[in-house]
Amino acid sequence: MSVRILGLVGSLRSGSHNRQLAEAAVKHAPDGVDIVLYEGLADVPFYNEDIDVEGSVPAAALRLREAATAADAFLLFSPEYNGTIPAVLKNAIDWLSRPYGAGALTGKPVAVVGTALGQYGGVWAQDESRKAAGIAGGAVLEDVKLSIPNSAGRFAEVHPADDAEVSAQLAEVLGKVAAAAAPAA
């Protein structure tokens, strides 16, 4: 049986290094791990309880919730915007946190990885993403981390999927996420 991991990329930019990191995760997923990168975060409106009412939930938010419900675990790819989590990723977490106590993240393993321009690889944004996902009900894997600094230099000529060190680190992350999501034997 395969473990299905939903990847949410916190950058909407087509050439994003975090998008490329997510593509590398798909390419290097171990056997038995199916990674689905969610497309459409740009279409999800900002969370508003007034529109999160049965029969009125925007179609884009419903699609996100359906994809999340079908997932066994989550891998969030977070760049760092002004020292914190990108709005698009926070918005996705907000939608997935509802209904309160029974959202699509509830009880499922969540890991956060990413790359950023700075010397710390976006650790502040990743920490904030873990915090938000945990409060939203996710089972955050606090020991599963990957922060890659200097993204502009490191990936200027090499796609993350072709970087042997990054590929090995991603495989380790994916193995840990899959193990956390696998049903107990």
Side-chain angles (χ1 to χ4, degrees), residues 103-142:
L105 285 173
T106 302
K108 294 182 181 180
V110 179
V112 182
V113 299
T115 185
L117 182 61
Q119 65 181 340
Y120 302 112
V123 294
W124 291 345
Q126 292 171 33
D127 287 346
E128 291 295 319
S129 298
R130 283 184 200 89
K131 176 182 172 185
I135 291 170
V140 176
L141 304 175
E142 293 289 348

Side-chain angles (χ1 to χ4, degrees), residues 64-138:
L64 174 61
R65 284 179 173 166
E66 288 167 358
T69 299
D72 299 309
F74 300 88
L75 185 55
L76 310 182
F77 297 85
S78 184
E80 190 166 271
Y81 290 176
N82 297 314
T84 194
I85 183 174
V88 69
L89 189 54
K90 176 64 168 72
N91 189 49
I93 293 168
D94 289 345
W95 277 104
L96 296 177
S97 73
R98 299 288 194 259
Y100 182 75
L105 285 173
T106 302
K108 294 182 181 180
V110 179
V112 182
V113 299
T115 185
L117 182 61
Q119 65 181 340
Y120 302 112
V123 294
W124 291 345
Q126 292 171 33
D127 287 346
E128 291 295 319
S129 298
R130 283 184 200 89
K131 176 182 172 185
I135 291 170

